Amino acid sequence: MPDDVRIVGWDPRLHGEFVRLNMAWLVGHELFEESDRKHFDRTRETILDKPGEVFFALDAAAEQALRNGRPATALGSCAVAFQAEGLVEILKFAVDEPARGRGVGSLLLSTALDWARAHGAVRVALESSTKLTAALRLYERFGFEHRPFPGTPTYVTADVYMERAV
């Protein structure tokens, strides 16, 4: 795990980074759907109030910038939100291209799982795409197992459903 990276929770000043990071991979992999926009336009309603959280990976410079009231660039972000009793979903998980391969994704995912456990979740699930091979490998390393979709996928482009016990 990178020791020069700190994970922080939701900060409205980082909302633009949440959108930037996620739009980069959604558009880059041709996976953006209008239904993605709800998490960007209504983050409080669709994630934070569920309850949920949005985590950001910051390097020392970004952390200092925030403390000094300046714009900060995040290395990655990961959102989690309860979807049903005992079930937390990983939502909008992204690592900036230059930060990939440094353990930022693992650090964010570990934090998300710790949050789910601390908030009483029994299971953690996610929807993804076979286009995101690196992300799928990360999820598998963390013990997520491929399962049939429990209902209709949230996204037209989602063709992978994974779940694990907390």
Side-chain angles (χ1 to χ4, degrees):
M1 298 293 168
D3 56 359
D4 61 333
V5 175
R6 182 162 172 264
I7 303 298
V8 300
W10 175 251
D11 184 322
R13 297 173 297 172
L14 291 169
H15 181 258
E17 286 298 284
F18 178 61
V19 175
R20 178 188 69 81
L21 289 162
N22 283 286
M23 286 299 290
W25 71 264
L26 286 165
V27 172
H29 290 282
E30 298 178 339
L31 295 170
F32 178 75
E33 301 177 29
E34 279 303 312
S35 56
D36 288 302
R37 196 176 302 282
K38 68 184 175 205
H39 295 301
F40 306 140
D41 294 347
R42 299 188 333 264
T43 307
R44 174 136 320 270
E45 176 187 331
T46 66
I47 297 170
L48 300 170
D49 289 344
K50 287 280 191 173
E53 183 61 88
V54 180
F55 298 104
F56 294 92
L58 303 177
D59 62 16
E63 196 173 3
Q64 186 65 38
L66 273 183
R67 272 199 297 273
N68 293 331
R70 294 190 321 270
T73 301
L75 301 173
S77 69
C78 179
V80 291
F82 273 91
Q83 300 302 321
E85 182 70 29
L87 175 65
V88 164
E89 185 176 6
I90 304 287
L91 300 160
K92 303 299 169 244
F93 180 20
V95 175
D96 205 10
E97 184 77 38
R100 292 182 191 159
R102 293 179 43 198
V104 172
S106 292
L107 189 56
L108 282 163
L109 191 53
S110 291
T111 302
L113 294 172
D114 289 346
W115 183 94
R117 190 176 304 108
H119 286 81
V122 177
R123 297 175 299 136
V124 178
L126 59 90
E127 293 182 20
S128 192
S129 168
T130 50
K131 290 182 175 185
L132 304 172
T133 55
L136 296 177
R137 283 193 309 271
L138 176 66
Y139 301 141
E140 290 165 351
R141 280 197 311 272
F142 272 78
F144 283 86
E145 297 176 350
H146 294 264
R147 301 259 170 86
F149 277 90
T152 305
T154 306
Y155 303 98
V156 174
T157 58
D159 59 359
V160 173
Y161 178 83
M162 299 177 85
E163 196 175 283
R164 66 161 274 177
V166 178

